[in-house]
């Protein structure tokens, strides 16, 4: 804190030099409008970036980049920092040549251009997207040094598109026989995922918009599926096709991956819902408090089963809990930011958050998860996260139960 | 919705509707031999996945960890005894359609959808041959896929008996939200290994230089 | 529509070449994760930019750039396209050296660093910001060719910061004597605006966050005031000081500008609330419909007095109206997107939207506004906007009453 | 909020608390003559605002449109008869404090806050002198500002009698939401002049090349 030190030093005398000597920007003319016709962050905002976790995957076109949750505010993820998960790399697809097809158990298999789709009745909704493998590295022991890597396969945006139900109706889907849909991407992996028809008709969106503009290429430009509450792999990017069928498809990413290893050696298949979870983002591991005194402990809570009902925070390793303030609006299958007042007296602290959703489900401890699912499960780790604050002010990642 | 979209032609549907289901709906007619599959594998696959499908270079190994007993049982024993260091593709995959569909749509990685139908049959057969699921002289075809399915080492390895698929499914883990003087241990059971401290780079460069906190300089050891 | 034509042509035969011949991105490996550690829009998204209106001002450091509303979705404005209004140019201020002061009728005048402020209890809320001069060019006759220029001094973001009431409390403001506050910027113009204490204590935020990340430099990095419902000029950027006082300050931008000329030659001073307004963004002037058939008419509604209650749409120049679907959540002092189904039969159409807010206020026609305020008013033009659709498919800006 | 912020020193408050209110709270002691003001104006202001404050080059004119009668009435007649083509600063500004405060904080435009207190008094006096509000030999000071206020041409030109300040203020325009067969004319009263069609550039470049609509090519005349 050189700025802090400086401030303190000069405050002892006449005052802070940053006040007493007017800064240059107060005494000069600044830059014109539209200097950046498409604006970018400040030159002082170069540390919070999407980053990879070394060794997580062996090739970076079938890999992950993580959202820097440690320094974000509110619930909207800046689109430039939305996490990435590609299986065969990303492309910047020409929307004029992109086509979308619906086939299978429908009266009329149809082809739509982007022009067609964007003329249809659209909706915009704010939803979280979380990779099923978020926090996977921590099923066993503590493995990563910061919330970016432990929880950063998580983002939240306002998505705009046409409800899938509108398209299924438009093609005359078979209301009796239809039991599942298959969503298929136009990338090399031809990513495919099965979705139950009830879910498809409920709140799934064929989306082109993200945070007011077109999807970013890394997130599926010009078209992706939005499957609220369900793990990100089902939100098929570069969406080219929906097939209506009567049986699940057991695609690679629902028969070899995104299956949950149980202690008895079996795998749970078709586990898609992201259960209720929360994490304190500031302060969090890899951060240092400069000082004793007041802090706003803040974090995120979410549930694939609906709205967040309550978030409790403990600063004594789980012995006592206080309900945090939830920011409004609290939306279904959307991030909810929580805040709670706290004064650090300089002693060591273990802080945790625990979310409860509208179904009454309580975010579990890691040992409770393991008691049912063992330690090989990889996906769907929604355990309570513990951060240890040391007397030095340094926060680190620990498991507590 | 007047004047929106148009009916797809048969050829268009055929061009894109390539998925193959566990019941083999979508599987095109054709066949391919293990022998031919070895050619395909060595020329188009082995550079990434290893000559025996064992490579860990670009992805987890495809072959390994399955036994003749597993083929009989339809359940891979190493998934329970955890003796295999890594879980290979064949240890996990329950359905042969999954392999066929995925290789057909996505492999080889840098040239997806470039294989002929015969090549896909053949290389699928060869992978299963490497795993000793199919004999050296086998010719895999749309006619005998259902038989091969009965030999998949982990075909009985899956369960859908859980609450994480249905919108109103019941959660398997039921915690309780205690608020005061909560019982039970609250011990630190695991901490970040020192070796992992700086693996993701210096965290002081991954946080703002102002605000409520700073990033820790992880190039140095912790101060306590 | 060469893509359309192509599609139509090939559809007559075997099908669309964009389907029959697999696109390159389906048959190759794409780019790795974190290729862009801070992502940017697609290379096909280069047309929607912040743009100036030629001749509106004479120097571009005291000017405006407009948000391209004609192509945006939902309610969140991408931060790179947030409108700009500077009076003495913009600066990219070093947050480590930025200070914030509260003085005047307070027990303790105080200085805060960004560190201090960001430790305080924070809130995040989605609000619109509209310049008081938005749509000013149309107080008289039709003047501009597109909604970007008629309504583009309008944006909407999730803002994060500490409630001003927290800071006023922290400094012990004089609850009896305090009647107004003055907000002051650190730019060359030292922008200053008076705000009533009731408003200051209500929902005003001293904000650092916008859409999940720090404010952009053009929007006040690292600190700006958020004054929900009030014209943008009060949302002081590069905020350096709040003074608590007992009288209004009659600053340049509340004594020479942002005053409303009335037909009797007097000016209304201290008009700050942005009254209920709406506009159809697609289709809108300067756009062309390619085809008859179904369209989703979509637009935005907002009110400085609270929530939007209803938006009506007319496609016959105001004779008949239908209530549009409002997207949820409908938030106070926030944009609300509306959508309505419509089939174009190829005949000429005049389309309009009309918003009603929770106070019961009905967005007026331009002649109703003029009947009270005349034609010199400049600011606070919240009239119903009419777009004329010609048989050729071209949409243009008209005034109808 | 323990350990957040600190008390400002007097010097710090003095450095930043520069605002001057209509009742002259905040006005520093000092003075400046019209004569000195002319020097300041010609060297530091006239290049942008014109020798007589009349320039329209970088901003609307500062001086012009006010009369001796206005000085008496405290209400600028040209605001009612609309004979002046543009509304100048002095036609509008009701309070002399506003001029003093703004020049002090923001002018000259490229070097804001560079004027001495004397220069601000002087150039404010000179502007009012150009507008014939103050005589040539006037010396403006903190002592006589209140007197000068009484000569401001539009000092009575403002009203706060409206509903757009208070949170629950009453709206001045009361429309009614008719839904069906609404009466009244629905005629097109104004259309975009042809000359304005392409002034903002070609709109086909300001819309996406796909989606529900296209941008109109405004470099060509409308098709009808
Ligand atoms: C250039 C490297 C490369 C080549 C060549 C290649 N693969 Fe792959 N393969 C990969 C990668 C990387 C993945 C993982 C993709 C992902 O993450 O979704 C993969 C995945 C697979 C999988 C699924 C494994 C699993 O557990 O998910 C199979 C099966 C497979 N490849 C078979 C083949 C076959 C057959 C060929 C040749 C016809 C081939 N591969 C050629 C790189 C390659
Ligand atoms: C380099 C150009 C430039 C110079 C030099 C300059 N000004 Fe200005 N002045 C401007 C601009 C541009 C504005 C409008 C700023 C805005 O939009 O807020 C302005 C605004 C003003 C206004 C407010 C007018 C109004 O109606 O809002 C006053 C008064 C003024 N200047 C006085 C001065 C004085 C006195 C000086 C010299 C001491 C000076 N100016 C020097 C460019 C200049
Ligand atoms: Ca059509
Ligand atoms: Ca199929
Ligand atoms: Ca090898
Ligand atoms: Ca401190
Ligand atoms: Ca003051
Ligand atoms: Ca001149
Ligand atoms: Co995932
Ligand atoms: Co404004």
């Amino acid at each position: 804190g050189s700025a802090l030190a400086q401030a303190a030093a000069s405050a002892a005398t006449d005052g802070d030099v940053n006040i007493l000597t007017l800064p240059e920007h107060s005494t000069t003319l600044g830059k014109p409008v539209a200097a950046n016709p498409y604006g970018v962050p400040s030159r002082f905002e170069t540390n919070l970036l999407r980053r990879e976790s070394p060794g997580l995957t062996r090739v970076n076109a079938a890999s992950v980049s993580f959202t820097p949750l440690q320094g974000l505010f509110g619930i909207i993820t800046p689109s430039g920092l939305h996490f990435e998960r590609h299986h065969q790399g990303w492309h910047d697809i020409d929307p004029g040549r992109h086509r979308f097809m619906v086939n299978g158990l429908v009266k009329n298999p149809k082809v739509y251009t982007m022009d067609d789709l964007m003329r249809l009745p659209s909706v915009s909704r704010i939803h979280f997207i979380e990779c099923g493998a978020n926090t996977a590295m921590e099923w066993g022991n503590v493995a990563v040094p910061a919330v970016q890597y432990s929880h950063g396969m998580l983002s939240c945006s306002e998505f705009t598109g046409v409800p899938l139900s509108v398209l299924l109706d438009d093609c005359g889907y078979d209301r009796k026989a239809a039991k599942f849909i298959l969503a298929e991407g136009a990338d090399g992996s031809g990513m495919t995922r099965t979705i139950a028809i009830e879910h498809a008709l409920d709140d799934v969106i064929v989306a082109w918009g993200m945070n007011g503009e077109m999807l970013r290429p890394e997130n599926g430009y010009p078209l992706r599926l939005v499957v609220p509450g369900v793990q990100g792999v089902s939100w098929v990017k570069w969406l080219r096709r929906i097939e209506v069928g009567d049986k699940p498809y057991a695609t690679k990413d629902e028969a070899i991956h995104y299956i949950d290893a149980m202690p008895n050696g079996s795998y749970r298949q078709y586990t898609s819902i992201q259960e209720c979870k929360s994490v304190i983002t500031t302060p969090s591991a890899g951060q240092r408090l400069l000082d004793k005194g007041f802090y706003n402990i803040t974090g995120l809570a979410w549930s694939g089963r609906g709205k967040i009902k309550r978030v409790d925070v403990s600063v004594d390793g789980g012995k006592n809990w206080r309900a945090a303030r939830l920011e409004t609006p609290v939306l279904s299958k959307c991030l909810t930011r929580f805040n709670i007042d706290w004064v650090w007296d300089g002693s060591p602290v273990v802080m945790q958050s625990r979310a409860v959703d509208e179904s009454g489900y309580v975010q579990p401890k890691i040992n409770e998860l393991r008691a049912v699912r063992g330690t090989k499960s990889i996906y769907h780790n929604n355990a309570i996260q513990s951060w240890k604050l040391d007397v030095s002010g340094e926060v680190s990642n620990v498991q507590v139960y | 919705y007047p004047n929106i979209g148009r009916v797809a032609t048969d050829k268009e549907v055929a061009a894109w509707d390539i998925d193959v289901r566990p019941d083999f709906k979508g599987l095109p007619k054709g066949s391919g031999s293990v022998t031919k599959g070895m050619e395909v594998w060595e020329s188009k696959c082995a550079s990434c996945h290893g000559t025996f499908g064992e490579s860990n270079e670009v992805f987890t190994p495809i072959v390994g960890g399955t036994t003749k007993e597993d083929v009989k049982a339809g359940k891979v024993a190493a998934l329970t005894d955890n003796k295999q260091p890594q879980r290979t593709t064949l240890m996990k995959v329950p359905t042969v359609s999954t392999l066929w569909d995925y290789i057909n749509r996505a492999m080889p990685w840098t040239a997806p959808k470039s294989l002929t139908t015969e090549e896909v049959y053949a290389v699928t057969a060869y992978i299963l041959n490497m795993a000793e699921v199919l004999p050296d002289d086998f010719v895999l075809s749309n006619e005998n896929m259902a038989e091969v399915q009965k030999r998949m080492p982990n075909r009985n390895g899956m369960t859908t008996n859980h609450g994480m698929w249905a919108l109103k499914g019941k959660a398997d883990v039921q915690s309780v939200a205690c608020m005061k003087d909560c019982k039970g241990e609250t011990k630190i059971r695991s901490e970040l290994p020192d070796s992992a401290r700086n693996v993701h780079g210096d965290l002081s460069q991954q946080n703002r230089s102002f605000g409520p906190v700073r990033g820790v300089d992880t190039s140095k050891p912790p101060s306590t």
Side-chain angles (χ1 to χ4, degrees), chain A, chain B:
Chain A
S2 74
L4 268 188
Q6 189 185 42
S10 53
T13 62
D14 287 348
D16 188 337
V17 63
N18 294 305
I19 296 174
L20 298 179
T21 308
L22 291 185
E24 199 209 346
H25 52 261
S26 297
T27 59
T28 55
L29 178 62
K31 280 178 254 192
V33 297
N36 296 325
Y38 191 94
V40 294
S42 160
R43 68 196 154 117
F44 298 101
E45 295 295 316
T46 51
N47 285 358
L48 296 176
L49 297 175
R50 304 198 271 223
R51 294 176 193 268
E52 295 175 74
S53 184
L56 179 62
T57 59
R58 301 154 200 82
V59 282
N60 59 9
S63 193
V64 175
S65 76
F66 295 82
T67 294
L69 299 176
Q70 66 272 23
L72 301 190
F73 315 116
I75 60 169
I76 298 290
T77 308
S79 295
L81 298 174
H82 192 296
F83 81 90
E84 295 171 272
R85 172 76 174 111
H86 316 303
H87 287 267
Q88 220 133 328
W90 62 273
H91 300 267
D92 191 2
I93 292 181
D94 181 349
R97 304 190 56 195
H98 188 69
R99 299 291 178 267
F100 173 70
M101 183 187 286
V102 179
N103 75 315
L105 299 174
V106 295
K107 230 176 253 147
N108 296 308
K110 285 187 77 170
V111 169
Y112 302 85
T113 61
M114 289 302 298
D115 295 0
D116 290 327
L117 293 172
M118 292 171 78
R119 283 169 62 176
L120 285 169
S122 60
V123 296
S124 302
R125 292 207 205 94
I126 308 177
H127 288 298
F128 78 83
I129 168 170
E130 183 184 20
C131 179
N134 201 23
T135 324
M137 293 181 274
E138 308 254 315
W139 255 108
N141 284 316
V142 170
V144 295
V147 71
Q148 177 162 17
Y149 308 107
S150 65
H151 289 76
M153 290 198 240
L154 172 72
S155 298
C156 184
S157 306
E158 183 186 36
F159 293 97
T160 299
V162 48
L164 179 53
S165 60
V166 167
L167 293 164
L168 294 182
D169 270 340
D170 190 47
C171 297
Y173 78 99
D174 184 334
R175 282 160 197 275
K176 267 203 186 145
K179 294 276 179 287
F180 300 92
I181 63 145
L182 180 77
E184 182 180 74
D187 62 327
S189 81
M191 173 57 71
T192 34
R193 287 277 299 184
T194 303
I195 296 164
I197 192 78
E198 300 79 42
H199 207 154
L201 294 171
D202 181 22
D203 55 4
V204 174
I205 304 170
V206 172
W208 52 82
M210 184 165 94
N211 291 338
E213 61 192 347
M214 287 297 292
L215 290 159
R216 296 291 174 84
E218 297 92 325
N219 305 116
Y221 182 88
L223 208 62
R224 92 174 298 171
L225 207 61
V226 167
V227 192
V230 165
Q231 57 189 346
V233 64
S234 291
W235 296 44
V236 174
K237 298 193 281 193
W238 315 291
L239 184 71
R240 74 170 193 180
R241 190 169 69 97
I242 295 281
E243 174 171 309
V244 181
D246 54 359
K247 292 201 174 131
Y249 290 81
T251 68
K252 182 263 246 176
D253 283 308
E254 54 199 29
I256 309 178
H257 308 285
Y258 303 95
I259 53 176
D260 301 0
M262 300 298 285
N264 70 356
S266 73
Y267 275 103
R268 287 183 175 166
Q269 199 175 13
Y270 302 113
T271 56
S272 66
I273 290 171
Q274 296 297 101
E275 292 182 310
C276 183
K277 187 168 172 180
S278 72
V279 66
I280 294 172
T281 54
T282 313
S284 61
Q287 297 184 330
R288 194 162 43 87
L289 276 55
L290 298 173
D291 215 354
K292 298 173 195 178
F294 186 89
Y295 286 87
N296 180 51
I297 296 179
T298 187
L300 296 166
W302 62 100
S303 168
R305 288 216 167 81
K307 292 183 186 177
I308 290 298
K309 194 165 77 185
R310 203 179 78 220
V311 179
D312 305 320
V313 171
S314 169
V315 288
D316 62 3
K319 280 194 208 81
N320 294 284
W321 299 78
R322 277 187 303 149
R325 296 188 304 280
L326 300 189
E327 291 195 355
T328 55
V330 175
L331 302 173
S332 185
K333 305 176 187 178
C334 181
L335 294 189
T336 296
R337 182 157 293 270
F338 62 87
N339 295 283
I340 194 165
D341 292 359
W342 173 64
V343 176
W344 186 40
D345 63 6
S347 52
V349 164
V350 170
M351 49 182 102
Q352 303 170 310
S353 68
R354 178 184 65 196
V356 182
D357 71 16
E358 60 178 338
S359 79
Y361 177 90
V362 177
Q363 184 184 6
K365 290 185 268 192
I366 183 75
N367 57 317
E368 292 174 322
L369 268 182
R370 287 200 198 118
V372 176
R373 302 190 201 158
T375 56
K376 304 277 172 193
S377 191
I378 300 182
Y379 304 100
H380 298 292
N381 177 358
N382 66 327
I384 288 173
Q385 175 67 52
S386 306
W387 305 127
K388 187 185 91 176
L389 167 60
D390 195 87
V391 290
S392 70
E394 179 168 337
V395 185
S396 63
N397 187 358
V398 294
Q399 281 185 1
V400 168
Y401 49 91
Chain B
Y1 304 108
N3 215 354
I4 300 287
R6 60 168 176 81
V7 170
T9 68
D10 291 349
K11 293 214 168 154
E12 286 173 332
V13 174
W16 279 11
D17 182 4
I18 59 170
D19 59 89
V20 177
R21 285 198 321 206
D23 63 358
F24 308 116
K25 187 159 187 294
L27 185 68
K29 272 187 194 154
S31 65
S33 66
V34 166
T35 322
K36 163 89 180 177
M38 184 169 88
E39 270 173 46
V40 175
W41 182 262
E42 305 215 319
S43 62
K44 301 187 172 176
C45 320
S47 61
C48 287
H49 293 294
T51 307
F52 309 103
E54 86 300 345
S55 170
N56 204 14
E57 298 268 304
V58 306
F59 203 66
T60 35
I62 291 181
V63 177
T66 60
T67 63
K68 297 232 149 124
E69 285 67 47
D70 297 343
V71 170
K72 268 182 220 146
K75 188 97 199 288
V76 171
L79 296 174
T80 311
D81 63 26
N82 290 314
K83 278 183 185 149
Q84 189 73 5
Q86 265 183 307
R87 298 187 162 198
T88 67
T89 305
L90 283 195
M91 284 168 69
K92 295 184 284 175
V93 63
T95 32
V96 64
S97 64
T98 303
L99 286 181
W100 202 101
D101 174 86
Y102 180 66
I103 293 169
N104 181 52
R105 72 172 57 243
M107 287 295 134
W109 204 45
T110 50
K113 302 177 191 70
S114 64
L115 300 181
T116 65
T117 297
E118 187 197 359
E119 285 174 323
V120 179
Y121 275 109
V123 81
T124 304
Y126 184 64
I127 290 172
L128 293 169
N129 171 260
M130 286 191 282
E132 297 178 50
V133 173
L134 295 181
D136 291 354
D137 60 356
F138 200 81
V139 179
L140 183 65
S141 75
N142 58 305
E143 312 253 294
N144 61 19
M145 282 277 272
E147 290 305 309
V148 173
Q149 173 58 36
K150 293 185 190 150
R151 295 180 55 79
M152 291 297 283
N154 203 39
R155 64 187 175 277
N156 300 322
M158 299 287 143
T159 172
T160 54
N161 183 17
H162 57 74
M164 291 171 75
W165 175 255
L167 286 173
K168 307 236 150 179
K170 191 171 176 300
D172 56 347
V173 180
Q174 306 279 350
S175 191
V176 177
C178 162
M179 293 299 286
K180 262 185 109 83
D181 302 320
C182 306
K183 274 176 206 161
E185 306 271 8
T186 55
K187 269 198 209 148
I188 292 179
R189 310 287 181 151
S190 169
E191 301 207 46
L192 188 74
D194 283 351
S195 60
R197 183 171 170 80
N198 201 38
V199 163
H200 290 75
D202 178 358
L203 295 182
S204 71
Q205 304 302 311
Q206 301 182 20
N207 283 273
R208 290 194 186 87
S209 58
F210 64 97
V213 295
R214 297 292 183 279
V216 169
D217 182 349
T218 49
S219 66
K220 305 197 180 89
S223 42
T224 46

